[in-house]
Amino acid sequence: MTNSFHPPQRTLMGPGPSDVSPRVLAAMARPTIGHLDPEFIRMMDEVKSMLQYAFKTDSPLTMPISAPGSAGMEACFVNLVEPGDKVIVCQNGVFGGRMKENVERFGGQAIMVEDDWGKPVDPAKVTAAFAANSDVKLLAFVHAETSTGVMSDAKQLCQIARDNGALTIVDTVTSLGGSELDVAGWGIDAVYSGTQKCLSCPPGISPISFSEKAVAAIEKRETKTPSWFLDQKLVMGYWGAGAKRAYHHTAPVNSLYAFHESLVMLEEEGLENAWARHQLHHNALRAGLEAMGIGFLVEQQYRLPQLNSVMIPTGVDEAEVRRRLLADYNLEIGAGLGALAGKVWRIGLMGAACNKQNVLLCLSALENTLAAMGADIRTGKAIAAAESAYS
Amino acid sequence: MTNSFHPPQRTLMGPGPSDVSPRVLAAMARPTIGHLDPEFIRMMDEVKSMLQYAFKTDSPLTMPISAPGSAGMEACFVNLVEPGDKVIVCQNGVFGGRMKENVERFGGQAIMVEDDWGKPVDPAKVTAAFAANSDVKLLAFVHAETSTGVMSDAKQLCQIARDNGALTIVDTVTSLGGSELDVAGWGIDAVYSGTQKCLSCPPGISPISFSEKAVAAIEKRETKTPSWFLDQKLVMGYWGAGAKRAYHHTAPVNSLYAFHESLVMLEEEGLENAWARHQLHHNALRAGLEAMGIGFLVEQQYRLPQLNSVMIPTGVDEAEVRRRLLADYNLEIGAGLGALAGKVWRIGLMGAACNKQNVLLCLSALENTLAAMGADIRTGKAIAAAESAYS
């Protein structure tokens, strides 16, 4: 016989999932009701409205996809890319590569614009790619690269796309709720995100939003979307603005309770206050790490406050450090992905996990562990440096 | 400001979601941990093993998809159907139609075998379809049609497919955990289900399993699967048997806690005992409904105990009945779908909702409501009839 599972109580400071507030966990455990129950429909309307606030858009086509962020990405590409379409895809980390996979699997032609991992997307290269290719339908890029901790200039990149008559697909999985994002103001046409980063909700839901222009492009498709589950024309029948909701698939009822509560908490805090909180604690963490002699992968002006890619001290067995942090402090930090594996750790300060206690825990635990393993770091300075960043 | 959402406490006797046990809800609210945490990996292994028990298969390719049952369906079709493939699709309700959509969206050719809604799939027609078409790759059918409450003979249909060298895709969304299902014994090659029916877990996860032959077919695909999220070659890197789990997407951690607990409960009860419990309470519900003069859509030998499609008494405003049941008794029953809208109600007896209290509540509430609305039913007999079915 298998026993019930009782997870340890971790502090989640990796690249996501982040710590989930007890309020959100409590919401998730409320009694399940039907996905067509009038009370559930009322809750869905509130989710849509709060999500519009979080994304900064009035678009009625703003809703959560019933699956994780990867499915949100796929929902954007599968609906907007038709066979033969040209898509400029910017790659400066893992997730740009996944975008390329999406374009190609749906029959599109991916025109790659590459930048080093840890650098932002270079707008000049994007401009050049438009100049070198005619009839580009879409520009796709990652706003906040979870694999590197770098922020690209979404506003400027969207402007370039617009100047060239192209639509935009933007990955905001790690930026939503953590740093400035203005979907309507910047003119993003298709945006997707995740719940398990700066919204501090368990993973499993992907919020998305489409602009009017994106909807028009979907409506004039000549081929059927090669997915039934993610076909937005069908999903809209359930999440749409009409009074009558048509059954499409069974919504993940309890996951949506949790998402609703995380959005209520964002509304209570205020979007701009949430952005400022992420910056504040990032500043303190950075001061502490630098006092220890640990540097950052990303130049300061492009750094995401919520995801800190820091250089692993020379000669340290990085997996053993993470293993000890988990075993001795119940603290999770992230490994490097792809080209950055073994070179950086990814320290998240996302959502509910972005607070002073966690900054101090992380600095203390990392310093103790690295010192015990004989790493070349400065000790005894980090906590004071972090404290002074707060004052 | 939006308030936290507090759902009413319903009794869910529709076509799903069904009532969720407090044990499962409590599991869902346990602290989120990382999707690559060693403790989480251990829990995933337990989920796989218990799911093999529930499906009755030893296949290592047995795992939950991180999205609802519709995505489980899509995972089977998108991996197994290549452009030009011939697929015999049996349609005797809503979900066979969705299978056809899947086949066609992935470039396959759907050869339809149609039966009336409320009738099982006719094996003779399937045999005839194989005789009339060469090189059929797949036979797809629904074991337990949620839209009609009819059970088809999966064992016999799989035998016909095997005799004709075809693989099978079988929808067991409503049968898993509620009535006999023997994936390995019957030779099902690709099977998908949902969590929100007889497993009594919140919706959002779709358990699937592939046979060795199905895996071989996926491995020799000539084209890339037109989905990144559902590409089983990639998903297996995370859910696979290897010691090292490769990141594919962020698993829905808390939803999997809940699913784990629902499988623990199934193991405690015993699979065959769970099937017998569904039959027992169906017998009592049926006795009560018949005593009221309410008949069934489906002939007795093909009826699903867990989903009862019952004929709406003549002249009754069926939507008003459902509205009153919800308002006065917090009781949800389901409307008819598609061709059966307005003709039947669908009364679920699934998982944790399948118990004597619910049978008696449903009979009482329905009798009181119908009598108050002047419907032509017999009163005062139903409860005694149900009770005598139990004795």
Side-chain angles (χ1 to χ4, degrees), chain B residues 118 148-149 282-291 293-300 303-305 307-312 343-345 347 349:
Chain B
T148 65
H282 162 78
N283 292 347
L285 180 73
R286 183 186 69 209
L289 289 168
E290 287 175 349
I294 293 179
F296 281 71
L297 172 73
V298 178
E299 266 183 77
Q300 187 158 339
R303 255 175 231 168
L304 287 169
L307 188 63
N308 299 273
S309 285
V310 303
M311 307 309 295
I312 296 166
K343 294 182 185 156
V344 304
W345 287 308
I347 302 178
L349 275 173

Side-chain angles (χ1 to χ4, degrees), chain A residues 2-5 10 30 37 74 98 101 105-106 203 224-229 231 248 251 260-261 267, chain B residues 2 4-5 10 30 37 74 98 101 105-106 203 224-229 231 248 251 260-261 267:
Chain A
T2 313
N3 292 320
S4 295
F5 179 66
R10 306 291 198 202
R30 293 194 180 120
D37 192 298
E74 198 149 312
R98 193 174 297 182
E101 279 283 327
R105 284 174 189 243
F106 304 132
K224 265 195 184 177
T225 301
S227 170
W228 187 91
F229 176 58
D231 184 337
H248 175 256
H260 181 279
E261 186 67 17
E267 208 182 63
Chain B
T2 312
S4 296
F5 179 65
R10 306 291 198 202
R30 293 194 180 120
D37 193 298
E74 198 150 314
R98 194 175 295 182
E101 280 283 327
R105 284 173 189 243
F106 305 132
K224 265 195 185 178
T225 301
S227 169
W228 187 91
F229 176 59
D231 184 338
H248 175 255
H260 181 279
E261 186 67 16
E267 208 182 61

Side-chain angles (χ1 to χ4, degrees), chain B residues 56-297:
Chain B
K56 298 194 82 171
T57 176
D58 292 330
S59 168
L61 299 188
T62 301
M63 75 196 78
I65 293 282
S66 304
S70 305
M73 178 190 286
E74 198 150 314
C76 292
F77 284 91
V78 80
N79 283 286
L80 285 168
V81 176
E82 284 194 88
D85 283 347
K86 289 187 202 167
V87 184
I88 296 179
V89 175
C90 305
Q91 179 165 16
N92 61 338
V94 167
F95 295 93
R98 194 175 295 182
M99 286 178 153
K100 175 173 187 277
E101 280 283 327
N102 268 262
V103 170
E104 291 174 351
R105 284 173 189 243
F106 305 132
Q109 179 193 341
I111 298 160
M112 299 306 293
V113 168
E114 307 210 21
D115 281 290
D116 289 344
W117 290 36
K119 303 280 185 196
V121 173
D122 182 348
K125 290 187 187 170
V126 174
T127 300
F130 273 111
N133 294 277
S134 57
D135 299 323
V136 172
K137 180 175 180 183
L138 289 156
L139 169 68
F141 65 89
V142 179
H143 181 217
E145 242 301 343
T146 319
S147 63
T148 65
V150 80
M151 169 90 79
S152 290
D153 187 340
K155 184 178 180 183
Q156 188 180 0
L157 294 169
C158 287
Q159 182 65 52
I160 295 169
R162 216 159 36 246
D163 291 346
N164 286 279
L167 299 173
T168 43
I169 296 179
V170 184
D171 178 324
T172 65
V173 169
T174 290
S175 49
L176 180 64
S179 38
E180 190 186 1
L181 173 63
D182 185 351
V183 168
W186 297 348
I188 299 175
D189 293 300
V191 64
Y192 60 90
S193 189
T195 52
Q196 77 280 12
K197 311 280 184 182
C198 297
L199 299 181
S200 273
C201 187
I205 298 279
S206 178
I208 61 166
S209 182
F210 290 103
S211 73
E212 268 181 45
K213 282 195 290 180
V215 173
I218 293 171
E219 281 176 354
K220 70 173 191 228
R221 280 185 72 100
E222 289 171 7
T223 55
K224 265 195 185 178
T225 301
S227 169
W228 187 91
F229 176 59
L230 296 173
D231 184 338
Q232 287 306 300
K233 287 194 214 177
L234 302 178
V235 174
M236 281 307 303
Y238 179 59
W239 276 96
K244 181 150 174 64
R245 305 300 176 109
Y247 164 65
H248 175 255
H249 65 275
T250 304
V253 173
N254 291 65
S255 297
L256 288 168
Y257 293 167
F259 186 44
H260 181 279
E261 186 67 16
S262 73
L263 290 170
V264 168
M265 291 178 72
L266 181 66
E267 208 182 61
E268 286 173 2
E269 180 175 19
L271 191 55
E272 286 76 8
N273 294 335
W275 298 344
R277 174 170 52 85
H278 284 86
Q279 190 62 50
L280 172 73
H281 296 296
H282 162 78
N283 292 347
L285 180 73
R286 183 186 69 209
L289 289 168
E290 287 175 349
M292 244 188 271
I294 293 179
F296 281 71
L297 172 73

